Amino acid sequence: FMIYDESAKAESMEISEEVQFYVVNQEELSQPKLVEEKEFISYLLGVKGPYEVTIEDGIIVKVVEKYTP
């Protein structure tokens, strides 16, 4: 399920030096593809999500694009 919070505001958060970015692997949809930060940022320009963000101690440690058919 997805949570939509109409009152949510944008926030800046710290990103871990070891952060992992995953996008949908078009060759194997069940296995996300690990990409570098620069590739992920470029990918964001064309694909708006949804994404699952893992936060530990207030720091982003993992971002995974969720497959939506």
Side-chain angles (χ1 to χ4, degrees), residues 2-68:
M2 181 182 294
I3 297 174
Y4 174 73
D5 183 355
E6 188 176 294
S7 65
K9 61 182 177 187
E11 291 183 38
S12 294
M13 296 188 77
E14 184 177 346
I15 297 176
S16 168
E17 290 184 18
E18 292 91 31
V19 66
Q20 296 176 318
F21 296 101
Y22 291 90
V23 297
V24 170
N25 183 344
Q26 298 300 323
E27 296 172 7
E28 181 59 51
L29 296 175
S30 65
Q31 297 295 320
K33 177 182 171 185
L34 179 64
V35 296
E36 296 293 324
E37 183 176 359
K38 285 184 180 183
E39 183 178 352
F40 184 75
I41 291 169
S42 294
Y43 189 80
L44 282 175
L45 296 175
V47 180
K48 300 301 179 196
Y51 297 96
E52 179 181 291
V53 179
T54 303
I55 301 168
E56 294 178 359
D57 298 321
I59 300 173
I60 298 172
V61 295
K62 183 166 56 169
V63 180
V64 181
E65 179 187 16
K66 304 311 287 182
Y67 173 72
T68 51

